[in-house]
Amino acid sequence: MVEIAGKKGRCDLIMEVRETLLNFIETHYDPARLPQLALAAGMTWQAQTGASQRERLAALLLRVEREGMAPALLTRLETDFPNALPALQWAGASAGHASPTATADRNGLASSISPTPWTAAEAPAPADEAAPDPSPSGAFASAPLLTLRDGVEALETARQAAAPPLRLRLQSDTGDLRDPANAPEDWEGRAANASRAAILPYRFVHGYTLPTHWARRDREMAELITQVRENRHRLLSLIAIGGTGKSALTRKLLDELPKHHIHLDGALWFSFYIEPDFDRFLTEACRYLIPGFEPRAHPSPYEKALLLREAMETGRYLFVLDGIEVLMVADRSRKDFGSFQDRALRDFLQGVCEGKHSQLLISSRFPLVDLEDNDEQYVLQLADLSLESADELLTLHGVADDTTGREAIYRRFGSHALTLQVISDFLMRFHEGEPQGVADIQEVEPDAPQGIRLQAALDGYWQRLHADERFFMTRMSAFRGGVDERSLIVLNRSGDAFSPDYRGMVQRLVQSPLVSIERREGHARLTSHPLIKTFFYERMGENERDQTHRALKDYAQGLPLPDRPHTLEDYEPLLAACHHCLQVGLYTEAYQIYRRNNMDNALRWWGHYAVALELLEPLREASQGALPTWQSERWQRSWVENETALLATLRGDTRMAMERFQHSAEMDAEAGDGQGESASWQNLASILTQRGDFAGALKALDRSRLLETVLGRYEKEDMIAGLEGVCRMELGEAQTAFDLLTHAMTLSQQRSNLRAVCYWTWRIGDLFLRANRGERGQKYFSQALDLARAEQFRDFEGHALRGLADAARLQNQFDTARTRNMEALRIARALGNPFLENETQLSAAQIAEADANASETIGQAQQVLDRADESGYATHGGLARLVLARAALAAHDYTALNLHVSSVLALLQTTRHAQTQQELNRLLEAEPSLRALQPAPLEKLS
């Protein structure tokens, strides 16, 4: 047994254990088996020229410690030589006689690597009585842990071994453990999940390297473990300022869970610091949970999010989303500060909160304002280190044991984890660990914010770095994500990425807190903490920064691109090139890259609205004002205005869409572009129709019709007639609407515009439903559904299914109505189409109301109302309020009843919506107390 107690420092103890392991491996393994041993810990065996086997083994163990793979290596040692390994504790893991390998198997992880899978008959006896104390003061259990840094090969092996898919095979002589009645007591919870999901090895998408010296946070770790154990909240939010240690804590948590006998069906760790891409997270999570998942078949983040949420309900999983603030509005002067820039991300998190089994652990610098009122969110605020932990951290780094000197460090710099790591490394590298070396760092005000203190520490480091190190750090800070092996040449002034001196310099930086190694699918990538990247980026002069971005732009454009991109990842080189163009004002080149590679259509159709706006908004801003930064052509400015308006429509921001379509029409009019202006007015009419401003939509269509007449062209006659027919239908002019829609359909059929034909078809179905002619409406909806499926018009497929659901409701076929409606809602959510989703949820509320399900009626209607208020869908809001008004009347809640009816009356003055007027009239006639609220006569439409 290696002695752990006593007054020795932790560094000395680790060295003793490492020596014990070196002796054990040299004694038990012949040289031919060492590469397999390294592979078990996710490493490669390095054949260093001139180095002895023991020196190579020592280097391997150091890498294993730094990258948090000690548990995996120890488990392999125990597997190969059971009962031979002495009991020891090393780098946070325990092994040896007191900790048999079987314990790891019971955590559901070891079987993914162990060469001989065990069956239930070989499982150890239940040990619930020996479970660790779940309280914060309880000691951590000593059970070894298995984690996979990347786990791709083992994951695929585990999937293939799971037969049938998504089912865990656990058999014994006494029966199948999938039957809870046959399960031993200790396996009841696991057997209950066995019918839902296979147990997967933990997946670290970015292979976060835990610090060699861990700053203990026993209280916070215990609180997180308790939350995961109890599984009460779907969302665990870890909030703290940058550099506090959120990433290390969440990564360490996954190592600790098996020690506490917390059995998960799987866990995944993803860092948005490395890849600030929500779609990338969805892709990796879907690959992890869904066997055979093919990203090309599901390019939309909304669809992937829906598939992932469904898969998460097949078992109990924990997903860690580290550094999610990079996807949030970070400008504190904006009213939407702290909200998610991507609606797909917000919708996904809200959807997960509706689940029952799995959890998300999110770390962020900012509170999640989009979820602040959600009861499913548990918030843990992470503070700086305690002085005890801070002192221990400095000791582990090797800073001299000088109490007075350390107290001076804490007074000047506090106990912020990243700041102490930087200072510790600064002292060790330049002052042999003497605390008095901080005198070389510039003084700051005693009450200075922590960010200023960290900057002072980094500035002290900057003064000591030589030119090549500065070049490396500043150029690396300009990369959007991590730097892989092929990109290292960009970070060397001489252009020689294989120079021994350069490689040695990189190795020194990697051993410091300035640079860290992350892994993506087994490939190492260099990066830095976001605060460190910001510091070094700001150290570049304007000319230097311009040269850097231009060099990185040229480099990105030289990376290979598929002939036919199918996913956002395929476009990554061009996205990086556009990013660097925008950083240095190469707006025309960014515009050309974006359009010539069909990125506009791809990103819009795939649902990557936030990614598209990240590129287009800077173009738009640069073209504004009396002296625009971007000297663009007028048609370029008009196109950007239209494109951002379309994206706003798809995101549900109808106010922005309306303003920008109108501005685009004005720009085209000033330039004399009649065709462009006509298209802008038609687009404006569409968005005004969604907002319920039918009078405004008709005026916009009149402008478009006049322009088409002046141009002497009739290609858009079907669109103008059909859109007017939709407006006339909503205003209650049924016959006029029918004539216009059938005329539009005839023209579209003649021109083989099948998408337009499908649109007019389901709109005519709606017209017949409004006239209570459900059978005729059902016929048109069925035709539209067949055409939509044949041509893959997913959005129109959703509208047709929603129409069929309404038709079934009118015939009191509630089961059919619900089935059709759920199909439509799933399509709407997969597409990220807020208008279709709200329309489908309104239909769901009406179905529930007709089937006398009061709670579902209110719940669905309230969701419709919330989205209507957010997106400006006035007709949806009016109809949802009428549903809530009828529910309030049934509950004799006359206060709510009067409130809803008054709101509907106000909306009617704007929308003149015939269906809302009819339903309101029926409600007023049915309830005598409301007769004083008769609506004012509506103005006639000119």
Side-chain angles (χ1 to χ4, degrees), residues 64-371:
V64 168
E65 287 177 14
R66 287 186 63 85
E67 301 190 19
M69 298 306 296
L73 183 65
L74 291 179
T75 302
R76 182 55 183 263
L77 296 178
E78 290 185 310
T79 301
D80 289 350
F81 296 96
N83 303 318
L85 184 68
L88 49 80
Q89 290 183 338
W90 175 49
S94 302
H97 296 211
S99 181
T101 306
T103 310
D105 286 334
R106 296 194 56 213
N107 291 333
L109 300 171
S111 58
S112 65
I113 298 180
S114 177
T116 307
W118 55 271
T119 63
E122 300 168 319
D128 285 348
E129 295 178 1
D133 181 1
S135 66
S137 60
F140 286 170
S142 60
L145 148 80
L146 267 183
T147 58
L148 294 179
R149 183 175 58 195
D150 293 295
V152 177
E153 294 179 2
L155 175 58
E156 293 303 321
T157 302
R159 285 175 173 165
Q160 294 170 6
L166 293 179
R167 187 177 295 274
L168 178 66
R169 298 180 67 185
L170 297 174
Q171 296 180 343
S172 69
D173 296 335
T174 58
D176 189 345
L177 285 186
R178 285 174 290 184
D179 181 0
N182 296 328
E185 179 182 357
D186 189 51
W187 288 89
E188 282 187 307
R190 179 59 75 196
N193 286 337
S195 63
R196 295 200 305 267
I199 299 174
L200 301 174
Y202 287 10
R203 169 86 164 104
F204 301 99
V205 176
H206 296 113
Y208 178 82
T209 304
L210 281 170
T212 303
H213 307 304
W214 167 251
R216 288 191 301 109
R217 288 186 176 274
D218 295 345
R219 183 188 62 79
E220 294 90 343
M221 180 66 74
E223 187 170 353
L224 285 175
I225 288 172
T226 299
Q227 289 300 320
V228 175
R229 182 196 303 279
E230 295 178 352
N231 198 22
R232 293 181 181 177
H233 300 88
R234 299 305 100 219
L235 188 62
L236 309 176
S237 297
L238 185 65
I239 311 298
I241 64 173
T244 310
K246 302 183 295 295
S247 299
L249 183 60
T250 57
R251 172 59 184 82
K252 183 71 172 176
L253 173 69
L254 296 187
D255 285 357
E256 297 297 328
L257 292 177
K259 298 180 184 180
H260 289 256
H261 304 289
I262 297 176
H263 303 300
L264 300 174
D265 293 311
L268 180 143
W269 195 91
F270 188 97
S271 173
F272 289 103
Y273 294 132
I274 309 304
E275 291 188 86
D277 183 350
F278 177 55
D279 185 74
R280 170 72 177 164
F281 160 74
L282 293 173
T283 298
E284 291 303 323
C286 286
R287 282 174 172 163
Y288 180 64
L289 290 190
I290 305 172
F293 176 78
E294 177 50 63
R296 292 187 175 194
H298 310 283
S300 167
Y302 293 92
E303 185 172 13
K304 285 194 279 281
L306 181 62
L307 292 172
L308 179 57
R309 283 169 46 196
E310 293 172 346
M312 289 172 66
E313 287 302 293
T314 66
R316 185 184 174 191
Y317 303 101
L318 175 66
F319 285 179
V320 181
L321 283 64
D322 184 48
I324 205 169
E325 74 269 7
V326 299
L327 303 181
M328 297 163 67
V329 176
D331 186 350
R332 295 182 180 273
S333 65
R334 288 176 47 171
K335 63 179 181 180
D336 58 347
F337 165 72
S339 63
F340 294 115
Q341 301 182 68
D342 190 346
R343 186 173 62 84
L345 173 55
R346 183 194 64 182
D347 290 354
F348 169 71
L349 296 180
Q350 290 175 339
V352 168
C353 289
E354 298 172 3
K356 297 181 179 179
H357 302 294
S358 298
Q359 290 178 299
L360 296 180
L361 172 57
I362 293 177
S363 72
S364 171
R365 285 189 292 153
F366 316 133
L368 312 184
V369 298
D370 289 322
L371 297 163

Side-chain angles (χ1 to χ4, degrees), residues 884-917:
L884 292 170
R886 292 191 290 267
L889 178 60
H892 305 293
D893 185 351
Y894 293 101
T895 301
L897 173 63
N898 280 275
L899 175 63
H900 291 308
V901 170
S902 298
S903 297
V904 172
L905 288 169
L907 286 170
L908 271 174
Q909 293 302 311
T910 301
T911 66
R912 299 176 50 83
H913 190 226
Q915 182 184 359
T916 303
Q917 180 74 79

